[in-house]
Each structure stands twice: as structure tokens, then as C-alpha cells.
């Protein structure tokens, strides 16, 4: 009986490990292996060399990375104050958190079509800009990097806020009060206490937002159009339009590697801000 209790943790995680192995790890490794082998020449890096040296891929890769990082940065700027207020000052946290989560109940397709109506040349944004005299005629706000960024922020901002709320709530108020009593200003107490202690939530939210942005398909497909492609729409183009599954797999592997590198970078920055992380 004692031996069973010692091994109970193994039996508890075994179903989850089997599920992840069968439906995620094995297909993932199979996908990676196909990019390194050719039916005729065997092991080769020709597919990676062809993709990485392509000017078309380089343009799309830079755009995808830029939009994902920019959207993550803006989500952090917008999400941190909102999460800080909900965690520290809001009296009705439940209602505010429900409002934060509520947009996630709507399909990304519906949200993207909503932005197409809002940002269109006859949409409310252009009407306001023209009525204020900022522009003489409606501007092209759709099918470009701007519209994709707006869609990303609206899509993934709740993930950033939710990741930060839990961490900020766990920070004792006594720490900031002690710092203020010792002569620290509100900004100093925030910079030296609150921000480092909330680094884990900020990193978690950043990783979730960045991963969601760089792998999202519906939003850039609908709001970016055919002229503003990203890695996810490039994979679809290779696989479904051109029927080149090998090149699509190579782009997918590159996307996975980039996501892992960025996640490692975020964690490294987090450890520098808060060595206890």
C-alpha cells in the first residue's frame, strides 16, 4: 500500500502523458522528421536552405515577428494597468473579470468580420476621422499590418490581463506600504517591488500573446487579405493552394523554433528582473 502511495503521482499523470504523446508529441516529431528527409536523396537540409534564402519567406517572417512582438508589447501596456486596478482596487472583481473574459466567448471569425465593418471605408472609425477634419476622405485601414495588429490586440488582450491578475493579487500590500513608510515614492515602490514580483505573470501573458499572434490564422487571413501574409497564412498557401506539404512543414517547424526561442528570451528577462523567479 505504501508503495502504491509513493507511485500514485505517476498513475495520476500517466493518462495525460499518454494523451499528449499520442496526439501531440508523436505527430510533432513525425512532422519534424519529414522536413529532413527526401524520398530520393535521404537526409538533406535543402528544404530549409530553400526557404531561408527565399526573399518572399524573409519578408513574411520579418512581418510575422514584428506584428507578434508589437502586439505583445501593446497588450502588456494596456493589460498591466487594467489588471493592476482589478487586482488591487476594484470592489467588484468578479464583474470586471467576467467582462474581460466575455470577448473570448465570441468566435475569432465573428470578431474579425466586426473589425472589417468598423475599419472599413464606410465604418465608424473613418466617419469619425473625416468628421473631425483629420482627413478629407476615408482612409484604407483594412488589409494591412495595422488592421492585423488591431485584431491581434483585441483577440489576445484578455489573456494578458488574466495572467497578470492572479500574480498581482498574490503580492502583499504590506510590502508596498513598508516601502512607502521607509521613504520610497509610489513610482519607486512600483518599480522595485510590484513590477519585479509580477514578472512571472507578465512573462506568462507575453508568451501566451506572442504564441497566439504568431500562430493565428483567421485574424490575419481576414484582416490582412492576400497582400499582407504572415507565417500561418503562408503555411496554408503552401499546403492547400500549392500542395507542397514539405515546404509547409518546414515553415511550421521554423515557427515552432521561433516560439521556443522567444519564450526562452522572455524567461531570461524575467529572471534578470526578479532573480527569485
Amino acid at each position: 500500500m505504501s508503495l502504491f502511495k509513493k507511485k500514485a503521482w505517476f498513475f495520476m499523470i500517466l493518462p495525460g502523458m499518454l494523451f499528449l504523446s499520442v496526439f501531440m508529441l508523436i505527430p510533432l516529431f513525425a512532422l519534424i522528421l519529414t522536413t529532413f528527409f527526401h524520398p530520393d536523396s535521404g537526409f538533406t537540409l535543402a528544404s530549409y536552405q530553400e526557404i531561408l534564402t527565399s526573399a518572399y519567406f524573409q519578408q513574411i517572417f520579418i512581418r510575422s515577428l514584428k506584428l507578434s512582438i508589437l502586439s505583445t508589447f501593446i497588450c502588456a501596456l494596456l493589460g498591466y494597468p487594467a489588471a493592476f486596478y482589478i487586482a488591487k482596487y476594484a470592489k467588484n472583481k468578479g464583474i470586471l473579470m467576467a467582462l474581460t473574459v466575455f470577448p473570448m466567448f465570441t468566435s475569432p471569425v465573428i470578431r474579425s468580420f466586426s473589425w472589417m465593418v468598423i475599419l472599413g471605408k464606410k465604418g465608424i472609425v473613418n466617419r469619425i476621422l473625416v468628421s473631425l477634419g483629420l482627413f478629407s476622405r476615408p482612409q484604407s485601414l483594412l488589409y494591412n499590418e495595422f488592421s492585423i495588429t488591431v485584431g491581434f490586440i483585441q483577440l489576445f488582450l484578455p489573456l494578458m490581463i488574466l495572467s497578470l491578475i492572479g500574480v498581482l493579487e498574490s503580492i502583499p500590500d504590506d510590502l508596498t506600504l513598508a516601502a512607502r513608510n521607509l521613504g520610497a515614492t509610489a513610482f519607486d515602490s512600483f518599480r522595485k517591488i510590484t513590477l519585479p514580483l509580477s514578472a512571472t505573470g507578465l512573462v506568462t501573458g507575453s508568451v501566451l500573446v506572442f504564441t497566439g499572434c504568431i500562430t493565428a490564422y483567421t485574424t490575419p487571413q481576414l484582416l490582412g487579405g492576400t497582400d499582407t501574409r504572415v507565417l500561418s497564412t503562408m503555411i496554408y498557401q503552401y499546403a492547400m493552394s500549392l500542395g507542397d506539404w514539405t515546404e509547409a512543414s518546414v515553415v511550421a517547424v521554423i515557427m515552432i523554433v521561433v516560439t521556443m526561442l522567444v519564450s526562452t528570451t522572455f524567461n531570461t528577462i524575467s529572471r534578470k528582473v526578479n532573480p527569485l523567479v
Side-chain angles (χ1 to χ4, degrees), residues 151-223:
F152 280 163
I153 294 171
Q154 195 267 340
L155 189 63
F156 298 111
L157 181 59
L159 296 179
M160 177 67 73
I161 296 176
L162 293 177
S163 300
L164 285 166
I165 288 176
V167 176
L168 288 169
E169 282 182 335
S170 64
I171 300 176
D173 295 333
D174 295 342
L175 295 177
T176 55
L177 291 175
R180 296 298 300 275
N181 291 333
L182 292 173
T185 63
F187 177 75
D188 288 336
S189 62
F190 171 79
R191 180 173 59 88
K192 295 182 179 180
I193 297 175
T194 305
L195 184 60
L197 292 178
S198 62
T200 54
L202 195 59
V203 168
T204 302
S206 298
V207 171
L208 290 175
V209 173
F210 178 86
T211 303
C213 290
I214 203 169
T215 58
Y217 170 76
T218 303
T219 300
Q221 177 68 18
L222 294 177
L223 297 181

Side-chain angles (χ1 to χ4, degrees), residues 57-269:
F57 170 79
Q58 293 173 3
Q59 179 185 12
I60 293 177
F61 177 79
I62 293 174
R63 178 187 296 130
S64 302
L65 201 61
K66 178 180 65 176
L67 293 179
S68 299
I69 294 176
L70 177 62
S71 301
T72 303
F73 180 73
I74 295 177
C75 283
L77 288 181
L78 297 177
Y80 200 102
F84 187 84
Y85 173 78
I86 295 174
K88 297 296 184 182
Y89 298 107
K91 296 181 180 179
N92 45 2
K93 295 181 181 180
I95 296 177
L96 294 178
M97 290 185 67
L99 293 175
T100 301
V101 178
F102 182 76
M104 300 178 67
F105 297 154
T106 308
S107 169
V109 177
I110 297 176
R111 283 189 269 182
S112 297
F113 276 115
S114 300
W115 280 115
M116 292 172 68
V117 174
I118 294 173
L119 298 177
K121 289 191 175 182
K122 295 183 179 180
I124 185 173
V125 175
N126 267 311
R127 290 181 181 179
I128 293 174
L129 293 176
V130 173
S131 63
L132 293 176
L134 299 177
F135 296 98
S136 59
R137 58 182 181 179
Q139 300 298 303
S140 179
L141 302 177
L142 272 177
Y143 310 123
N144 49 38
E145 295 182 2
F146 170 77
S147 58
I148 295 177
T149 304
V150 170
F152 280 163
I153 294 171
Q154 195 267 340
L155 189 63
F156 298 111
L157 181 59
L159 296 179
M160 177 67 73
I161 296 176
L162 293 177
S163 300
L164 285 166
I165 288 176
V167 176
L168 288 169
E169 282 182 335
S170 64
I171 300 176
D173 295 333
D174 295 342
L175 295 177
T176 55
L177 291 175
R180 296 298 300 275
N181 291 333
L182 292 173
T185 63
F187 177 75
D188 288 336
S189 62
F190 171 79
R191 180 173 59 88
K192 295 182 179 180
I193 297 175
T194 305
L195 184 60
L197 292 178
S198 62
T200 54
L202 195 59
V203 168
T204 302
S206 298
V207 171
L208 290 175
V209 173
F210 178 86
T211 303
C213 290
I214 203 169
T215 58
Y217 170 76
T218 303
T219 300
Q221 177 68 18
L222 294 177
L223 297 181
T226 57
D227 295 332
T228 315
R229 294 194 179 275
V230 293
L231 289 177
S232 57
T233 56
M234 186 181 187
I235 292 175
Y236 181 86
Q237 180 187 23
Y238 275 126
M240 306 306 296
S241 300
L242 304 177
D244 193 341
W245 287 90
T246 301
E247 297 297 328
S249 301
V250 171
V251 177
V253 171
I254 293 174
M255 183 187 298
I256 294 172
V257 172
V258 170
T259 303
M260 293 176 64
L261 290 176
V262 171
S263 300
T264 304
T265 302
F266 283 147
N267 287 320
T268 303
I269 296 174

